[in-house]
Amino acid sequence: MLNDQDKPHYLSQQIPTLDIVNGTSDHDVTNKKSTGGNTIDKKESDQMSVSDVAPSSPTGTFSTFSMTSTMNDRVFREDGGRRFQAQNDEQELERLECQHRAFKAVQGGINFLAPVHGNLQKGCRALDIGCGTGIWTIEMANEFPHVEWIGTDLAPVQRDTELPDNLHFVQNDVTQGLPFPDNSFDFVHSRLLVMGIRNWKEIIDEVLRVLKPNGMFCMIECDFPWGLPGIPENQWKEKAKGHCKFSDYLTMAVKNRGYDHQAASVTISSLMKASGKVKNVNQLESYLPLWGWSNDPNYRKGGEIMRADAEDIPNSVMIVILDACEISESKYRDIKAGYLADLGRPGANTAVPIEHNWGWKFSV
């Protein structure tokens, strides 16, 4: 948990607007209108069609959706569309920021492993899709003050104080398209969207649309099931039975809900290559330890930070598993207890597998 002085302030209603035609920020808009749930400047709307602006998605309440074939006509509860977590309260937002700090620790105190500097030169524009609380985007905007940064997310939960002047947040549902013209950005980033995306090809095609020629995009995702790095898979259950059972149900839920359990390791890089528009596709394997079991100092520190997040994960995905796996709350409590018992158990080196995928759009 964060200390009181570390707790962020979050936006409730207002989101800074963006002049997406001229590529400049607009803090003092006086003549606005609402289109599809997004507030845009009138001068922008005069130059844009309705199809240029992605419609907003419901947030803060449960809605339902139904899908056929892969999900056998089941109806599931959804949180604001397609969110990994089952709530957007302050505890959940703190969990996401804890997760960010764990990522950064594992990476040796830096915010990226891909070679991003060439696409973050003076005058560049960068987009972070699914920015969550905005903490990564804020840190990157401070680190690269000569770059214009834009963070988008389904829910307006970003910080609203002490923001860098070169950063703007926009509410947007990426599955409905990005509200930016073609060839808008030099760099596009996303992290942990896997529980919100059913069609990765559409997302990658949309990223390629808004990327400039030679623009770079980096997608960082987790795979399922979650295992024990460095330990043969046939020994996982022996060393962490509770973790493996929880992971099996989470993987089942991911599949039943129509998500791609191998998007990180297989699908994203394959689609990048198959698009014919991406050069130098790279993939780097990593993981997030769920507690501080590693002898490596970076992974140990990341695991120690991640422990609080790991303890709350069963609460965050409870609705997802209950609905998709059709189990009782009583059975879920037993699964959760087994998972928690393995956090800190000697030899139970549990972790979330992470893949960093990146490449560059071909020049015209």
Side-chain angles (χ1 to χ4, degrees), residues 18-318:
L18 176 72
D19 185 332
I20 63 178
V21 173
N22 298 316
T24 58
S25 61
D26 190 352
H27 290 285
D28 300 312
V29 175
T30 57
N31 191 2
K32 301 177 184 177
K33 69 177 182 178
S34 178
T35 302
N38 295 279
T39 303
I40 58 176
D41 190 277
K42 185 178 185 299
K43 64 184 179 182
E44 298 170 21
S45 65
D46 290 341
Q47 302 175 57
M48 299 166 60
S49 67
V50 174
S51 62
D52 290 327
V53 181
S56 62
S57 296
T59 56
T61 57
F62 282 116
S63 58
T64 61
F65 75 96
S66 62
M67 294 185 68
T68 58
S69 65
T70 59
M71 286 184 275
N72 302 318
D73 301 317
R74 295 179 187 172
V75 176
F76 300 122
R77 285 170 286 184
E78 284 288 270
D79 169 40
R82 297 146 308 282
R83 297 190 70 80
F84 177 88
Q85 67 272 17
Q87 65 231 358
N88 275 329
D89 59 18
E90 186 167 310
Q91 180 179 352
E92 176 62 20
L93 298 172
E94 289 175 10
R95 188 186 74 80
L96 293 177
E97 299 221 340
C98 171
Q99 188 179 89
H100 164 76
R101 295 195 301 275
F103 256 101
K104 192 172 180 179
V106 163
Q107 295 170 182
I110 60 177
N111 276 311
F112 47 84
L113 294 180
V116 303
H117 288 88
N119 289 85
L120 295 177
Q121 301 295 317
K122 184 176 181 179
C124 288
R125 302 182 75 214
L127 173 67
D128 184 23
I129 300 172
C131 64
T133 68
I135 185 170
W136 183 88
T137 331
I138 291 169
E139 291 184 4
M140 290 294 283
N142 282 321
E143 185 172 352
F144 296 91
H146 49 272
V147 174
E148 180 186 0
W149 288 86
I150 299 165
T152 70
D153 199 83
L154 190 64
V157 295
Q158 294 75 44
R159 299 170 180 227
D160 61 349
T161 59
E162 301 180 2
L163 295 179
D165 292 338
N166 59 322
L167 168 63
H168 315 283
F169 291 120
V170 177
Q171 187 176 2
N172 171 247
D173 179 354
V174 66
T175 67
Q176 302 300 311
L178 292 166
F180 308 105
D182 297 355
N183 306 318
S184 295
F185 296 97
D186 303 274
F187 177 70
V188 176
H189 170 272
S190 66
R191 187 170 73 184
L192 296 184
L193 303 183
V194 66
M195 294 289 281
I197 305 299
R198 292 193 173 88
N199 190 327
W200 282 99
K201 184 180 185 304
E202 288 184 354
I203 301 303
I204 290 174
D205 286 347
E206 186 67 355
V207 168
L208 287 169
R209 181 186 67 78
V210 301
L211 265 182
K212 297 178 183 178
N214 293 315
M216 178 186 190
F217 69 114
C218 182
M219 293 183 163
I220 304 163
E221 296 296 338
C222 72
D223 259 0
F224 303 88
W226 298 350
L228 285 71
I231 296 176
E233 188 171 351
N234 60 7
Q235 297 179 26
W236 287 0
K237 290 186 178 180
E238 174 188 344
K239 294 181 178 296
K241 182 178 179 180
H243 168 85
C244 289
K245 187 172 184 179
F246 173 79
S247 176
D248 286 346
Y249 273 97
L250 181 56
T251 303
M252 185 190 310
V254 167
K255 293 179 179 179
N256 285 348
R257 293 176 75 96
Y259 303 124
D260 187 343
H261 71 293
Q262 292 187 316
S265 61
V266 177
T267 305
I268 292 173
S269 61
S270 296
L271 288 171
M272 284 182 175
K273 295 171 183 176
S275 72
K277 299 179 181 180
V278 185
K279 60 184 177 181
N280 300 333
V281 176
N282 290 263
Q283 184 176 89
L284 179 63
E285 181 179 347
S286 182
Y287 60 87
L288 276 181
L290 292 174
W291 61 281
W293 52 261
S294 179
N295 292 324
D296 179 281
N298 291 336
Y299 280 96
R300 176 177 287 276
K301 182 178 180 181
E304 290 170 350
I305 295 170
M306 189 68 183
R307 176 71 179 261
D309 185 346
E311 291 176 350
D312 200 45
I313 286 174
N315 299 327
S316 299
V317 300
M318 180 178 69

